[in-house]
């Protein structure tokens, strides 16, 4: 949550700087894109200069790699002269089997399944909203244009709420409620944004939508990471591998989710090609989220009839004594 809040705060500073350069100094839009590109390159250089942690997954991975190399150097050398193309392909496929099995086992975890469904719907909608909302403001024919300042304020408030939400136990106790509630409210807010005719209330509804999305994203990232890690540790301790992942492959899980969300976003854009008005497009996004929330309600009721309550309501907090999620 703290990292997510810092990222939102950086977006706030970026929006405020863009507003200042555009309105106060008269910087052309092309130069603003150049400044943004240079800033991203500098950020990449700074990330590369950050020293690696002496303890953690990277060290464990390096030790595992060294151990595997030390265990069988003679085998690898003896296999090189008798290299077989079909055997090499089969070996590569066998190496892919374990991470794919872990990925599938991770997605089947209850909280991960709920939050993955949420991400596949909310992430594409949010990506499209970042494209459509300024066109909507122009379509409303508002006299003033302070989008940068408004975005800075919205990101600042969202960063504070994201940081505070890390200490809220109810957000982590029942993922299905948060998923359904955030999806339903977001869909209704998008429909309300379209119907608003005044600039102030429009930005207020947009602020509410942005805060819900950012807070839910932070909760989802923490909850998915914790549940997958806990399941992998339990499998390793008990020596039982089947329905639970052998290893917490969070990078693979998050990358797969982002990729599928991108495919969904492209599909929505293709579906909206016939809608020329940005008002109809945003309203369509709101209807999609509202309908999805209703479907998820039915799925939640069906789930409740299949499983006893004690089987699927498990505590998901790391620091249960203080109720924090940093």
């Amino acid at each position: 949550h703290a990292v997510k809040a810092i990222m939102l705060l950086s977006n706030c500073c970026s929006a405020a700087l863009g507003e200042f350069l555009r309105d106060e100094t008269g910087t052309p839009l092309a130069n603003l894109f150049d400044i943004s590109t240079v800033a991203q390159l500098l950020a990449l250089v700074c990330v590369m200069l950050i020293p690696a942690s002496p303890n953690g997954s990277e060290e464990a991975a390096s030790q595992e790699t060294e151990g595997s190399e030390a265990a069988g150097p003679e085998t690898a050398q003896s296999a090189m002269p008798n290299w077989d193309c079909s055997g090499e392909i089969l070996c590569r496929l066998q190496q892919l089997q374990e991470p794919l099995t872990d990925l599938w086992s991770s997605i089947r975890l209850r909280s991960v399944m709920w939050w993955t469904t949420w991400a596949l719907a909310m992430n594409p909608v949010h990506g499209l909203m970042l494209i459509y909302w300024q066109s909507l403001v122009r379509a409303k024919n508002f006299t003033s244009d302070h989008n940068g300042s408004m975005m800075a304020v919205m990101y600042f408030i969202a960063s504070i709420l994201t940081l505070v939400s890390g200490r809220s136990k109810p957000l982590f106790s029942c993922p299905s409620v948060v998923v359904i509630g955030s999806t339903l409210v977001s869909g209704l807010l998008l429909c309300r944004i379209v119907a608003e005719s005044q600039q102030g209330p429009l930005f207020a509804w947009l602020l509410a939508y942005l805060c819900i999305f950012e807070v839910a994203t932070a909760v989802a990232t923490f909850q998915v990471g914790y549940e997958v890690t806990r399941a992998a540790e339990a499998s390793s301790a008990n020596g039982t591998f089947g329905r639970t992942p052998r290893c917490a492959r969070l990078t693979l899980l998050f990358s797969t989710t982002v990729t599928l969300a991108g495919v969904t976003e492209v599909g929505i854009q293709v579906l909206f090609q016939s809608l020329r008005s940005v008002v109809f497009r945003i309203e369509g996004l709101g209807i999609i989220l509202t309908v999805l929330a209703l479907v998820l309600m039915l799925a939640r009721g069906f789930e409740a009839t299949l499983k006893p309550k004690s089987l699927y309501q498990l505590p998901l907090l790391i620091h249960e004594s203080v109720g924090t999620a940093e």
Side-chain angles (χ1 to χ4, degrees):
H1 282 253
V3 175
K4 181 67 175 180
I6 293 174
M7 293 176 60
L8 293 174
L9 187 60
S10 67
N11 290 340
C12 166
C13 297
S14 175
L17 178 61
E19 179 79 7
F20 173 79
L21 293 176
R22 188 195 65 176
D23 294 345
E24 300 299 330
T25 65
T27 305
L29 185 61
N31 292 347
L32 291 180
F33 280 106
D34 295 337
I35 294 174
S36 176
T37 302
V38 173
Q40 293 181 25
L41 292 176
L42 292 177
L44 179 60
V45 173
C46 292
V47 169
M48 295 174 63
L49 294 178
I50 296 177
S53 175
N55 298 320
S57 59
E58 293 183 358
E59 182 186 14
S62 62
Q63 290 179 356
E64 182 180 356
T65 303
E66 293 175 358
S68 61
E69 291 178 353
E74 297 179 359
T75 304
Q77 293 179 359
S78 60
M80 288 179 61
N82 299 325
W83 184 79
D84 185 12
C85 180
S86 60
E88 182 71 14
I89 295 176
L90 181 61
C91 180
R92 295 294 183 182
L93 293 177
Q94 290 177 349
Q95 291 177 355
L96 288 175
Q97 181 180 0
E98 183 175 343
L100 292 178
T101 302
D102 289 338
L103 174 63
W104 177 244
S105 300
S106 299
I107 294 177
R108 292 177 61 185
L109 297 173
R110 180 178 181 270
S111 294
V112 178
M113 187 178 299
W114 276 104
W115 282 116
T116 300
T117 304
W118 180 91
L120 293 181
M122 287 293 294
N123 286 352
V125 170
H126 184 68
L128 293 175
M129 271 300 297
L130 293 179
I131 301 174
Y132 293 156
W133 78 269
Q134 295 196 45
S135 299
L136 177 65
V137 171
R138 287 194 296 269
K140 297 290 185 178
N141 296 321
F142 295 136
T143 56
S144 59
D145 181 8
H146 299 288
N147 296 345
S149 300
M150 294 304 300
M151 287 301 296
V153 173
M154 287 189 287
Y155 277 122
F156 179 75
I157 297 176
S159 66
I160 295 177
L161 293 178
T162 301
L163 185 62
V164 173
S165 66
R167 298 182 177 273
S168 177
K169 281 187 175 182
L171 289 176
F172 300 91
S173 58
C174 191
S176 59
V177 175
V178 182
V179 168
I180 296 174
S182 61
T183 304
L184 178 61
V185 174
S186 296
L188 296 177
L189 283 174
L190 293 183
C191 295
R192 189 66 186 89
I193 289 172
V194 171
E196 189 58 58
S197 59
Q198 298 181 358
Q199 186 174 16
L202 186 147
F203 279 112
W205 296 121
L206 187 61
L207 169 63
Y209 162 77
L210 180 65
C211 291
I212 290 175
F213 176 80
E214 298 297 349
V215 171
T217 300
V219 173
T221 304
F222 167 78
Q223 207 165 24
V224 168
Y226 176 59
E227 174 131 341
V228 173
T229 303
R230 186 182 63 174
E233 291 176 351
S235 298
S236 178
N238 300 331
T240 56
F241 305 102
R243 296 178 59 88
T244 55
R246 295 171 176 263
C247 178
R249 304 180 187 274
L250 297 178
T251 302
L252 178 61
L253 176 60
F254 290 141
S255 300
T256 303
T257 304
V258 170
T259 302
L260 294 178
V263 174
T264 305
E265 182 175 344
V266 172
I268 294 176
Q269 287 180 319
V270 172
L271 183 64
F272 283 0
Q273 280 183 349
S274 59
L275 300 177
R276 299 298 181 183
S277 174
V278 68
V279 174
F280 292 153
R281 293 187 178 188
I282 296 179
E283 191 174 17
L285 295 177
I287 293 174
I288 289 175
L289 292 182
T290 304
V291 172
L292 176 62
L294 297 178
V295 173
L296 291 177
M297 286 182 187
L298 296 177
R300 179 64 181 85
F302 184 69
E303 180 190 43
T305 59
L306 290 180
K307 294 184 178 181
K309 185 176 181 180
S310 60
L311 289 180
Y312 53 76
Q313 283 196 340
L314 299 175
L316 292 174
L317 291 175
I318 291 180
H319 307 293
E320 294 184 0
S321 59
V322 295
T324 60
E326 285 88 345

